[in-house]
């Protein structure tokens, strides 16, 4: 499974960005895709995940500001996800990684597939 991310960049606080991630293929009928992030000197933090049954999970710090979505119909394999980030804050600055697996996990180390990462920088 190969994951290709796009959409990172620099924005001022209060602005918006959209990240996208596309997967090459999946060996499973049910799967999960999502985003984790890591700022220098910190641990990886959950941003948002989406399961093929439509279930979502958001990190506490982004809930209400970020939205994860997919063009795939609920109940089908997720082959791409978007992360719409609004009302961005300087503390959202991090490398954002797309993840995928046959189910969503609460620990980053449980994910088998990772993208290369895309940098998001929010200036005050």
């Amino acid at each position: 499974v190969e994951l290709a991310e796009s959409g990172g960049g620099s924005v001022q606080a209060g602005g918006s960005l959209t990240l996208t991630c596309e997967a090459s293929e999946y060996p499973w009928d049910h799967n999960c895709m999502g985003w984790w992030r890591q700022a220098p000197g910190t641990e990886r933090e959950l941003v948002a995940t989406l399961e093929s049954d439509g279930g979502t999970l958001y990190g506490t710090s982004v809930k209400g500001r970020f939205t994860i979505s997919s063009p795939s119909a609920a109940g089908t394999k997720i082959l791409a996800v978007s992360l719409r980030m609004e009302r961005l804050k300087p503390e959202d600055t991090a490398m954002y990684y797309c993840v995928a697996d046959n189910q969503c996990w609460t620990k980053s180390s449980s994910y088998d597939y990772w993208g290369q990462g895309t940098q998001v920088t929010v200036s005050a």
Side-chain angles (χ1 to χ4, degrees):
V1 178
E2 295 183 356
L3 304 175
E5 302 138 324
S6 62
S10 298
V11 65
Q12 288 190 326
S16 302
L17 280 174
T18 298
L19 306 182
T20 61
C21 178
E22 295 186 2
S24 57
E25 61 180 8
Y26 285 117
W28 326 286
D29 292 329
H30 175 274
N31 69 307
C32 169
M33 287 185 73
W35 299 88
W36 286 71
R37 68 186 182 186
Q38 187 170 25
T42 68
E43 294 186 353
R44 284 177 176 168
E45 177 188 11
L46 169 69
V47 179
T49 57
L50 174 66
E51 290 203 76
S52 51
D53 62 1
T56 58
L57 181 65
Y58 291 93
T60 303
S61 62
V62 307
K63 198 173 293 185
R65 299 187 297 122
F66 291 12
T67 304
I68 189 169
S69 63
S70 174
S72 303
T76 65
K77 233 181 266 195
I78 303 172
L79 295 177
V81 287
S82 293
L83 181 70
R84 177 65 177 172
M85 305 183 292
E86 298 179 327
R87 304 195 304 279
L88 282 160
K89 306 174 182 179
E91 50 264 44
D92 293 318
T93 295
M95 185 71 78
Y96 284 68
Y97 296 94
C98 180
V99 297
D101 214 314
N102 63 331
Q103 68 179 80
C104 291
W105 306 99
T106 56
K107 290 185 178 180
S108 63
S109 57
S110 297
Y111 285 91
D112 285 336
Y113 301 101
W114 290 77
Q116 294 296 315
T118 185
Q119 179 68 35
V120 172
T121 301
V122 184
S123 57

